[in-house]
């Protein structure tokens, strides 16, 4: 039996060895970057002006003066129905740059299947439901690009960004964006994404290929503008159903993960997400010459507003395929067979065609000329189509559960179409440019969501001077909405239902306080008729109301060159048997940041950790691309630790990361989703390069 001191020594030795794997690469990388920086400096001359990036606002004044990119010349914004765009400067910050995955950049924390690009489910609760018909909360939604969220740029010179990441098992991610003003008022852009993650286990590959194009034109007098976008997003995931025996992983009897048996050997999920966006607006009031006031900023007395028309078309198609031999193991995945037990090809589609007509004089909160009372109202017309198709082979001379001589049979559910009208409106008040209140409402008439409504109110109060603004915000909403269409109607080879569900009545409230870099918030969500997939993978509604409580605290502490970044979430549900969440989720990092080589290189080295308490983690069902409830096993209560080095020289940022460096230190219990082990320790590296020409 080893003593406590011996165990501690072994632990520290392992930590040092694994961290040195990263540190050993640092001298070569630093030398290369330093040489590159000196060459650039020689070419451009020492008098080249350098502007600050947003991230350097939090660095020391010496570090600010040393960092360059001319980010203020590039503004980024996304679409909204009111043609009121909050344009933010493109930022090239170094802190947390190593968190390259979309899951790490998102405000939620997720449980995954152990591979980048695999199915995920949030473990911190946020009500992300929106008005209008939705098919389902797909387990891959977080990776999919949405036409409403793509980026537009306003700039003076061409802007390009190249981002590349490589990791263990040939993981690769490549992102490329380019935008430029081809003539005065006309800006064109394109974006491409390629992501391939084969994974450590058999049939774990996740592949994504995306491209979108943008165009924006504004007349010289700025009274008329038009913006358009086209999106094509494809995804393919091999589905292995998890490992057959958890004990093989937990006891680490096989270190070569590719030799571990998995449950599904031929299954895969595919999706294609395409969309078109077109918005144009006409401003009613002629814009006069700007006037300046050296004493105080000018405030508009009245804004006649603009008329806005938006057209959107979206089509999402998904398909699940498996060629299998029916066994007792597969009964967990296919409890019922309606067609063929040997081959399955299930697909479904959801198309949306929308037209929105709006009158609005709402301006972004950041507009210095915002006038005190703003409003918008409009109406939306939407057509939704949903259809299911399943193909299977069956001998028509015998019952469907007997398979001998076979011929191809396609069984399609007749597609259904729904038409919906939604009137909506917004009121916004601004008092002394420090007090904001916003109220808006929506009502659905006709279609699947007929009768749904939402009333929402928001209040923001700013305190202090411009240099150290403090803010308190209150938000509340009340509404009625139908469950996702998936829970009411579904048709496939192994899962079918046609149920009559009640609408969900919900109430949510939240408060947040921001001061001196602290962010403290509490929220409450209550809903009746909550709908979920139960342990039998069937839709179920709760007869009683369910309440969810959440509290958050976040802060970035800076002491000289040290940075401590922490975010803690506490949450509790009134019905853990229905909605199970870890009661504690903590994400923190500690790092040391410093300028090197005569301020040519900014380096940050540190550790990042994620921990969440034990809870009944949901299971994953590949055939429906959804997670479902289980109440027999608990997972969690395990820390994930990463070591990282972030570097920045000129417009290039580089990270080196040893992800999950503590794998195996505390045993092999790092399972986020039942039967899907988490990723082992892995070295990853990435670079982002920005060009302004």
């Amino acid at each position: 039996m080893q003593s406590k001191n011996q165990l501690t020594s072994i632990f520290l030795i392992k930590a040092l060895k694994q961290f040195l794997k990263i540190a050993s690469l640092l001298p070569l990388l630093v030398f290369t970057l330093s040489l590159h920086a000196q060459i650039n400096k020689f070419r451009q001359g020492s008098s080249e002006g350098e502007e600050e990036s947003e991230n350097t606002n939090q660095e020391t004044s010496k570090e600010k003066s040393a960092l360059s990119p001319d980010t203020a010349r590039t503004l980024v914004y996304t679409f909204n129905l009111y043609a009121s765009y909050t344009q933010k400067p493109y930022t090239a910050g170094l802190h947390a740059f190593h968190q390259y995955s979309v899951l790490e950049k998102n405000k939620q924390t997720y449980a995954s299947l152990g591979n980048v690009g695999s199915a995920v489910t949030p473990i911190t609760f946020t009500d992300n439901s929106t008005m209008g018909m939705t098919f389902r909360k797909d387990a891959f939604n977080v990776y999919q690009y949405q036409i409403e969220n793509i980026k537009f740029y306003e700039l003076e010179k061409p802007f390009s960004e190249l981002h590349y990441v490589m990791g263990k098992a040939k993981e690769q991610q490549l992102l490329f964006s380019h935008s430029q003003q081809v003539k005065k008022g006309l800006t064109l852009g394109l974006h491409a994404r390629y992501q391939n993650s084969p994974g450590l286990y058999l049939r774990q590959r996740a592949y994504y290929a995306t491209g979108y194009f943008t165009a924006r034109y504004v007349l010289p007098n700025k009274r008329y503008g038009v913006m358009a976008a086209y999106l094509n997003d494809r995804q393919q995931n091999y589905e292995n159903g998890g490992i057959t025996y958890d004990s093989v992983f937990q006891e680490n009897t096989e270190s070569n993960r590719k030799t571990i048996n998995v449950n599904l050997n031929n299954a895969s999920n595919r999706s294609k997400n395409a969309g078109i966006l077109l918005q144009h607006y006409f401003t009613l009031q002629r814009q006069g010459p700007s006037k300046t006031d050296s004493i105080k900023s000018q405030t508009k007395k009245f804004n006649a507003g603009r008329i806005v028309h938006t057209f959107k078309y979206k089509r999402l198609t998904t398909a699940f395929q498996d060629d299998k031999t029916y066994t007792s193991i597969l009964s967990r995945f296919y409890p019922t067979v309606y067609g063929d037990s040997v081959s399955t090809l299930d697909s479904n589609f959801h198309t949306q065609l929308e037209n929105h007509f709006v009158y609005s004089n709402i301006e972004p909160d950041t507009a210095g000329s915002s006038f005190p009372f703003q409003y918008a109202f409009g109406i939306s017309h939407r057509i939704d189509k949903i259809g299911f198709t399943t193909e299977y082979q069956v001998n028509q001379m015998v019952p469907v559960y007997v398979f001998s001589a076979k011929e191809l049979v396609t069984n399609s559910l007749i597609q259904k179409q729904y038409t919906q009208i939604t009137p909506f409106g917004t009121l916004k008040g601004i008092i002394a440019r420090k007090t904001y209140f916003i109220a808006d409402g929506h009502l659905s008439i006709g279609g699947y969501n007929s009768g749904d409504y939402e009333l929402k109110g928001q209040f923001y109060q700013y305190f202090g001077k411009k240099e150290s603004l403090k803010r308190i915000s209150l938000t509340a909403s009340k509404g009625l909405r139908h469950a996702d269409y998936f829970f009411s109607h579904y048709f496939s080879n192994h899962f079918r239902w046609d149920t009559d569900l009640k609408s969900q009545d919900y109430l949510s409230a939240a408060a947040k306080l921001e001061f001196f870099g602290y962010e403290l918030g509490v929220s409450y969500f209550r809903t009746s008729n909550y709908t979920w997939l139960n342990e039998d993978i069937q839709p179920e509604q709760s007869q009683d109301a369910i309440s969810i409580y959440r509290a958050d605290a976040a802060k970035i502490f800076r002491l000289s060159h040290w940075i401590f970044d922490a975010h803690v979430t506490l949450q509790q549900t009134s019905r853990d048997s229905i909605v199970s969440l870890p009661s504690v989720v903590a994400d923190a990092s500690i790092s040391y940041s410093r300028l090197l080589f005569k301020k040519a290189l900014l380096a940050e080295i540190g550790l990042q950790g994620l921990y969440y308490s034990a809870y009944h983690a949901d299971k994953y069902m590949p055939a429906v691309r959804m997670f479902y409830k289980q109440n027999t096993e608990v997972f969690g209560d395990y820390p994930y630790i990463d070591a990282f080095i972030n570097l920045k020289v000129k417009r290039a940022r580089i990270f080196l990361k040893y992800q999950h460096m503590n794998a195996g230190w505390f045993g092999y219990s790092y399972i986020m989703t039942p039967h899907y082990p988490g990723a082992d320790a892995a070295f990853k590296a990435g670079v982002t390069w920005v060009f302004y020409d």
Side-chain angles (χ1 to χ4, degrees), residues 231-248:
L231 167 69
N232 192 307
D233 186 15
R234 295 174 180 267
Q235 162 259 328
Q236 181 173 2
N237 286 79
Y238 292 168
E239 300 282 10
N240 63 21
I243 60 177
T244 305
Y245 303 104
D246 291 354
S247 59
V248 176

Side-chain angles (χ1 to χ4, degrees), residues 463-650:
F463 303 91
K465 298 180 180 180
K466 183 178 180 180
E467 296 77 13
S468 58
L469 279 179
K470 309 168 189 66
R471 187 175 81 160
I472 184 172
S473 58
L474 305 173
T475 304
S477 61
K478 175 74 172 66
L480 187 73
R481 61 174 169 241
H482 283 65
D484 293 343
Y485 188 86
F486 167 85
F487 293 112
S488 296
H489 310 286
Y490 193 69
F491 181 88
S492 71
N493 190 23
H494 300 290
F495 299 95
R496 297 182 185 180
W497 52 75
D498 193 356
T499 59
D500 184 17
L501 300 176
K502 297 179 180 179
S503 298
Q504 301 174 97
D505 189 352
Y506 65 94
L507 170 68
S508 68
K512 187 176 182 179
L513 179 61
E514 301 169 65
F515 63 102
F516 301 119
Y518 288 91
E519 294 185 10
L520 306 176
V522 294
S523 62
Y524 168 76
F525 180 81
R526 181 184 183 276
T527 183
S528 62
N529 301 320
Y530 180 81
T531 311
W532 75 101
L533 280 181
N534 61 23
E535 294 182 80
D536 297 322
I537 319 176
Q538 295 291 314
E540 186 174 340
Q541 274 197 326
S542 172
Q543 300 298 317
D544 301 322
I546 295 177
S547 297
I548 301 172
Y549 308 86
R550 174 173 171 170
D552 290 86
K555 167 67 176 175
I556 298 180
F557 299 91
R558 295 179 181 269
L559 179 61
S560 185
H561 297 283
W562 288 95
I563 307 172
F564 180 70
D565 190 346
H567 184 187
V568 179
T569 299
L570 307 177
Q571 51 191 3
Q572 182 178 359
T573 66
S574 61
R575 297 287 301 277
D576 183 70
S577 60
I578 296 175
V579 180
S580 182
L581 299 168
S583 57
V584 179
V585 179
D587 186 0
S589 69
I590 183 170
S591 59
Y592 182 83
S593 177
R594 184 151 191 169
L595 285 162
L596 303 171
F597 301 103
K598 298 182 179 180
K599 303 180 182 179
L601 171 71
L602 176 62
E604 180 185 15
I605 182 170
L607 297 174
Q608 175 93 29
L610 170 66
Y611 170 85
Y612 56 88
S613 56
Y615 76 113
H616 292 98
D618 291 346
K619 287 186 175 181
Y620 172 60
M621 171 48 66
V624 295
R625 302 167 63 98
M626 294 273 288
F627 284 77
Y628 65 98
K629 185 62 185 167
Q630 66 87 21
N631 287 303
T632 57
E633 299 178 275
V634 295
F635 299 87
D637 192 22
Y638 179 90
Y640 296 85
I641 304 174
D642 304 337
F644 64 88
I645 300 173
N646 295 329
L647 304 168
K648 183 174 184 178
V649 53
K650 294 295 182 180

Side-chain angles (χ1 to χ4, degrees), residues 288-550:
S290 59
K291 299 179 180 179
T292 58
D293 189 332
S294 59
I295 300 176
K296 61 180 180 178
S297 299
Q298 180 187 9
T299 300
K300 292 182 181 178
K301 301 299 182 182
F302 177 73
N303 185 334
R306 68 194 76 87
I307 298 174
V308 187
H309 169 244
T310 303
F311 168 82
K312 284 196 297 181
Y313 171 80
K314 297 196 295 184
R315 180 181 177 89
L316 175 63
T317 304
T318 64
F320 172 78
Q321 184 172 5
D322 191 8
D323 298 320
K324 57 199 181 290
T325 300
Y326 200 81
T327 64
S328 58
I329 292 178
L330 290 183
S331 64
R332 297 185 308 186
F333 299 91
Y334 313 120
T336 305
V337 179
Y338 294 100
D340 190 346
S341 65
V342 176
S343 177
T344 293
L345 178 54
D346 296 326
S347 63
N348 55 73
F349 70 86
H350 179 200
T351 64
Q352 303 172 30
L353 183 65
E354 303 176 60
N355 278 283
H356 307 266
F357 300 91
V358 176
Y359 166 75
S360 171
N361 65 2
I362 291 181
E363 295 185 356
D365 290 356
T366 55
S369 59
S370 295
F371 50 97
F373 188 66
Q374 304 171 26
Y375 44 84
F377 53 85
I379 190 167
S380 298
H381 176 263
R382 175 169 164 173
I383 300 175
D384 290 90
K385 291 183 181 180
I386 288 183
F388 305 91
T389 300
T390 183
E391 295 181 359
Y392 53 83
Q393 294 178 333
V394 62
N395 183 352
Q396 292 181 317
M397 302 301 294
V398 295
V400 296
Y401 52 83
V402 178
F403 307 95
S404 52
K406 299 172 184 177
E407 60 184 76
L408 183 64
V409 175
T410 300
N411 191 337
S412 300
L413 179 68
I414 298 175
Q415 67 180 26
K416 293 188 177 182
Q417 179 173 308
Y418 301 89
T419 301
Q420 177 178 292
I421 301 293
T422 304
F424 56 90
T426 299
L427 295 175
K428 177 179 176 181
I430 305 173
I431 303 174
R433 289 192 294 171
K434 284 195 174 184
T435 302
Y436 293 76
F437 59 88
I438 306 172
D440 55 33
H442 298 73
L443 173 64
S444 297
I445 303 172
Y448 174 76
N449 293 82
S450 184
D452 286 7
Y453 73 91
E454 182 179 65
L455 298 174
K456 185 176 182 179
Q458 302 174 71
F459 172 82
Y460 303 91
Q461 178 64 56
Y462 290 87
F463 303 91
K465 298 180 180 180
K466 183 178 180 180
E467 296 77 13
S468 58
L469 279 179
K470 309 168 189 66
R471 187 175 81 160
I472 184 172
S473 58
L474 305 173
T475 304
S477 61
K478 175 74 172 66
L480 187 73
R481 61 174 169 241
H482 283 65
D484 293 343
Y485 188 86
F486 167 85
F487 293 112
S488 296
H489 310 286
Y490 193 69
F491 181 88
S492 71
N493 190 23
H494 300 290
F495 299 95
R496 297 182 185 180
W497 52 75
D498 193 356
T499 59
D500 184 17
L501 300 176
K502 297 179 180 179
S503 298
Q504 301 174 97
D505 189 352
Y506 65 94
L507 170 68
S508 68
K512 187 176 182 179
L513 179 61
E514 301 169 65
F515 63 102
F516 301 119
Y518 288 91
E519 294 185 10
L520 306 176
V522 294
S523 62
Y524 168 76
F525 180 81
R526 181 184 183 276
T527 183
S528 62
N529 301 320
Y530 180 81
T531 311
W532 75 101
L533 280 181
N534 61 23
E535 294 182 80
D536 297 322
I537 319 176
Q538 295 291 314
E540 186 174 340
Q541 274 197 326
S542 172
Q543 300 298 317
D544 301 322
I546 295 177
S547 297
I548 301 172
Y549 308 86
R550 174 173 171 170

